[in-house]
Amino acid sequence: MALTYLLLTGGIVLQVMNVNVYASFLRRSSRDVLSSGSIRDARLSYAALILLLFFLAGYVLVTFSGRATLIIGAIFFFGAVFCTIMIHLITQLTSTVKHRSIDIVKTLVKVIEERDPNLNGHSLFVQNVSMCIWRHLPDDMKRKINETDLDYAALLHDIGKMGIPESVLNKPGKLNDAEWELMRQHPRKGVEILHELQSFETILPWIEYHHERMDGKGYYGLPGDQIPLESRIIAVADTYSAIMMRRSYKPARTYEEAIAIMKDVSGTQLDQNIVNLFCRIPKAELEKCAPKNVEAGIVS
């Protein structure tokens, strides 16, 4: 009898863990750009959680009924073990798919950036810095932003440059008014490119408004208080990358120069709170954000 209750107790403990792990998995991934599916898929996911809770209730009732046998105890315990294994496989498979998917996108972005030598590695740099900023956000702000969504938005922020003529992208001198008007359309062209991907709907405004300014003098004149927080983060990362990377028309700048420039435009071009937070990130962490193929003035 002691072994029977030991098995049932073990089954209860495992089922409580399963419910917590699966509920946490649903909270993390159900609304990001890779996991969001149809309403039917969402209903099935939450139906599975309800069944786990139902099984947990069953374990408790059987344990305290006083009628359990060793066979029943063994069935319940190994049933809980089976649920644990399946939940582990589901979470691992989802994680693997996400990593493989973003690797594919990185490759596509790299191909796109090959059109402009000045941009090669820029998107990955912006992605890395954006996620570094996200990790340093206060917990209340961090919870408002889906990590996977920001990861994709930062990586794809310049995908609209696919629609900009190479003669404009690769022009060695200053752009004239007509060329600047074309260049200013690249955030919206990016939205047009990604519009067919319904799961990307959440991140489209973040991409569209990453060149807006806090003083309202950005590409589309959006007032600072209407700029999405995620766009403000990408804007800080984008500015840092633009300053630090060597371009055909300018040398790479040092970390100290970049910090000084960003502080100077804080509150007008860039969000002051994000810049202040950015400036507190250890320099060593930002050094790791530069892709290996990017020549950046990290070292003073």
Side-chain angles (χ1 to χ4, degrees):
M1 185 61 68
L3 180 57
T4 298
Y5 282 103
L6 181 62
L7 289 170
L8 289 170
T9 302
I12 290 174
V13 171
L14 283 175
Q15 284 298 76
V16 170
M17 292 174 56
N18 290 338
V19 168
N20 287 331
V21 171
Y22 189 68
S24 176
F25 167 73
L26 290 181
R27 285 195 300 270
R28 289 196 312 269
S29 64
S30 62
R31 291 190 297 272
D32 67 45
V33 296
L34 291 182
S35 302
S36 58
S38 66
I39 294 176
R40 179 175 177 273
D41 292 337
R43 287 173 177 171
L44 287 174
S45 297
Y46 283 99
L49 178 60
I50 292 171
L51 285 175
L52 283 174
L53 290 169
F54 176 78
F55 290 146
L56 176 58
Y59 277 50
V60 173
L61 288 173
V62 170
T63 300
F64 290 99
S65 69
R67 299 179 180 178
T69 65
L70 182 60
I71 293 177
I72 292 175
I75 292 173
F76 272 53
F77 176 76
F78 288 108
V81 170
F82 174 77
C83 290
T84 301
I85 292 172
M86 294 306 297
I87 290 173
H88 175 75
L89 290 175
I90 289 170
T91 55
Q92 287 297 108
L93 179 60
T94 301
S95 177
T96 299
V97 169
K98 288 184 177 182
H99 283 101
R100 296 276 173 84
S101 297
I102 205 160
D103 286 343
I104 292 171
V105 174
K106 285 179 181 178
T107 301
L108 293 175
V109 168
K110 184 176 180 181
V111 170
I112 293 168
E113 289 188 345
E114 288 290 343
R115 298 176 62 221
D116 183 356
N118 288 316
L119 290 178
N120 194 15
H122 167 68
S123 294
L124 183 57
F125 200 171
V126 172
Q127 178 199 30
N128 291 341
V129 174
S130 295
M131 301 316 297
C132 185
I133 294 172
W134 180 85
R135 288 191 293 272
H136 284 267
L137 289 175
D139 288 341
D140 59 332
M141 293 178 66
K142 186 182 294 185
R143 284 192 292 268
K144 296 177 182 178
I145 303 174
N146 185 290
E147 180 182 6
T148 302
D149 288 355
L150 180 62
D151 208 15
Y152 269 81
L155 182 59
L156 295 169
H157 76 285
D158 269 348
I159 195 171
K161 289 185 177 178
M162 288 179 61
I164 306 300
E166 289 191 34
S167 59
V168 175
L169 285 176
N170 298 324
K171 185 174 181 178
K174 291 184 178 181
L175 301 180
N176 59 38
D177 291 343
E179 291 166 337
W180 261 118
E181 184 59 33
L182 280 174
M183 185 63 75
R184 280 194 291 267
Q185 295 306 311
H186 83 263
R188 285 184 175 161
K189 287 184 179 295
V191 170
E192 291 173 4
I193 291 170
L194 299 173
H195 182 70
E196 296 301 319
L197 299 173
Q198 294 183 1
S199 61
F200 276 47
E201 182 179 0
T202 300
I203 70 173
L204 296 185
W206 309 354
I207 293 172
E208 183 172 7
Y209 299 125
H210 76 273
H211 273 298
E212 298 311 291
R213 295 169 52 108
M214 298 305 295
D215 59 11
K217 298 179 180 179
Y219 279 15
Y220 308 130
L222 194 70
D225 59 353
Q226 295 182 25
I227 303 172
L229 173 60
E230 297 83 0
S231 297
R232 302 181 196 186
I233 292 172
I234 295 172
V236 170
D238 191 24
T239 301
Y240 180 72
S241 172
I243 296 170
M244 296 294 290
M245 287 182 65
R246 182 184 65 82
R247 303 284 174 86
S248 61
Y249 50 84
K250 75 171 187 69
R253 310 295 283 271
T254 67
Y255 166 82
E256 287 73 19
E257 288 175 320
I259 292 297
I261 293 171
M262 294 173 72
K263 285 182 177 179
D264 189 51
V265 299
S266 172
T268 53
Q269 176 183 337
L270 303 174
D271 184 296
Q272 187 172 14
N273 292 328
I274 302 299
V275 171
N276 290 340
L277 180 147
F278 176 83
C279 293
R280 293 194 297 269
I281 297 175
K283 180 180 176 181
E285 286 191 44
L286 293 173
E287 288 178 345
K288 297 176 182 178
C289 292
K292 293 180 180 179
N293 65 318
V294 170
E295 182 179 341
I298 300 292
V299 182
S300 300

